[in-house]
Amino acid sequence: MKDLVTKINAEFETFKTESESLIDKGVKAAGPRARKSTLELEKLLKDFRKVSVEESKK
């Protein structure tokens, strides 16, 4: 579970960096990278939910 949380935090930092580049600096190439990061975050958060539910049942 710790590894999963580490991956989520790293992906969120990537999203944060890319979205700031897009909004603050106007780097248009950062848009697709930020969107890709949101898809990865969605997958990781679903995995976290599954693991969290399993852990709570123990």
Side-chain angles (χ1 to χ4, degrees), residues 3-53:
D3 185 44
L4 185 56
V5 171
T6 302
K7 287 179 183 178
I8 291 170
N9 288 331
E11 195 62 43
F12 185 75
E13 286 301 317
T14 300
F15 169 73
K16 185 177 172 185
T17 302
E18 296 301 339
S19 62
E20 286 174 354
S21 291
L22 177 64
I23 295 167
D24 297 338
K25 299 176 185 173
V27 178
K28 293 189 186 253
R33 292 191 298 258
R35 290 190 295 272
K36 179 182 176 189
S37 186
T38 62
L39 293 174
E40 186 63 28
L41 274 170
E42 181 182 23
K43 179 183 151 218
L44 290 169
L45 291 171
K46 284 181 181 180
D47 290 344
F48 176 80
R49 181 169 163 47
K50 289 177 189 174
V51 171
S52 178
V53 169

